[in-house]
Amino acid sequence: NNELTSIPEAIGRLQKLYRLDADGNKLSTLPDGVGKLQKLTHLHIYDNQLTELPQTVCSLSNLEVLAVHNNTLSTLPPGVEKLQKLTKLFIFENQLTKLPPGVCSLSNLEVLEANNNNLSALPPGVEKLQKMKILRIHANQLTEVPPGVCSLSNLEVLLVGPNPIRRLPDDVTRLTRLKTLSVPGCQFDEFPRQVL
């Protein structure tokens, strides 16, 4: 928590760096040099003023945690599917209107927190995220929970409300490991009988 407004391009020379915490600053951009930090496993750049991420972030092949929440991102860079070791993606409290399809190719993803954005849908292929345990998609503009969510057999936490959702998929009962289902502020015609 400083007043940093930039990170020097030379950060890419720190080849042994495995964790970069630059949260709580006033960063509006990240240098492309961040993509040279090939040992990086944790990138925490939340609580800043970022409007975009450099595409080079997607070349961080050892990245396990990407925390970019509470910025002003309107999109994620193309190539996010290259982050195959990613287990946690925190992108809540941004201005995202959609997620790239590549997010659904992150086969090791266990936590996706995409709440408090402007998402109207999730990308196709969400059922491929078989290691997913926590999915927070509340406070968006979603009108449905994609049926593919019901195939996430390891899901323990599902937060979907508030959203203008009128019903839950019938197959929500397949989520046998689900411990928390939060649906406040949804626009159900009737309370979902399948969860009773």
Side-chain angles (χ1 to χ4, degrees):
N1 289 354
N2 294 300
E3 299 289 315
L4 290 176
T5 57
S6 65
I7 293 176
E9 184 69 37
I11 187 107
R13 294 186 195 148
L14 302 176
Q15 293 297 305
K16 296 191 183 292
L17 199 66
Y18 69 92
R19 183 177 180 121
L20 177 58
D21 292 315
D23 51 282
N25 284 288
K26 295 184 177 179
L27 300 173
S28 57
T29 60
L30 275 184
D32 286 339
V34 167
K36 296 178 182 174
L37 302 173
Q38 288 302 301
K39 293 195 185 293
L40 207 65
T41 60
H42 291 69
L43 179 56
H44 293 182
I45 45 175
Y46 56 91
D47 292 335
N48 277 290
Q49 298 168 3
L50 297 171
T51 57
E52 63 180 2
L53 294 176
Q55 191 167 350
T56 57
V57 166
C58 297
S59 64
L60 298 172
S61 58
N62 287 303
L63 200 64
E64 296 172 10
V65 177
L66 177 58
V68 293
H69 50 281
N70 199 15
N71 279 287
T72 55
L73 301 174
S74 58
T75 186
L76 293 177
V80 70
E81 65 275 3
K82 296 178 194 169
L83 301 175
Q84 283 299 306
K85 291 190 179 177
L86 205 65
T87 60
K88 296 177 182 174
L89 179 57
F90 301 106
I91 51 176
F92 60 91
E93 292 183 12
N94 276 290
Q95 297 172 5
L96 299 169
T97 55
K98 65 179 183 175
L99 297 180
V103 168
C104 294
S105 297
L106 300 174
S107 58
N108 286 304
L109 201 61
E110 296 177 5
V111 177
L112 174 58
E113 297 193 1
N115 50 288
N116 295 83
N117 279 290
N118 295 308
L119 302 174
S120 56
L122 293 181
V126 70
E127 64 277 0
K128 294 188 285 186
L129 300 173
Q130 284 300 306
K131 292 188 179 178
M132 183 72 64
K133 293 180 181 177
I134 298 173
L135 180 59
R136 297 175 187 258
I137 52 174
H138 58 284
N140 278 291
Q141 300 301 317
L142 300 171
T143 55
E144 70 170 0
V145 175
V149 168
C150 300
S151 299
L152 303 179
S153 58
N154 288 303
L155 199 63
E156 297 177 3
V157 176
L158 176 59
L159 277 60
V160 298
N163 269 303
I165 295 171
R166 301 193 73 83
R167 65 186 304 273
L168 290 176
D170 291 337
D171 284 345
V172 74
T173 54
R174 292 174 51 199
L175 299 174
T176 56
R177 294 190 179 173
L178 199 64
K179 297 176 183 175
T180 302
L181 174 63
S182 179
V183 294
C186 290
Q187 299 173 6
F188 296 136
D189 295 323
E190 60 183 33
F191 190 80
R193 294 180 183 175
Q194 60 270 52
V195 299
L196 294 178

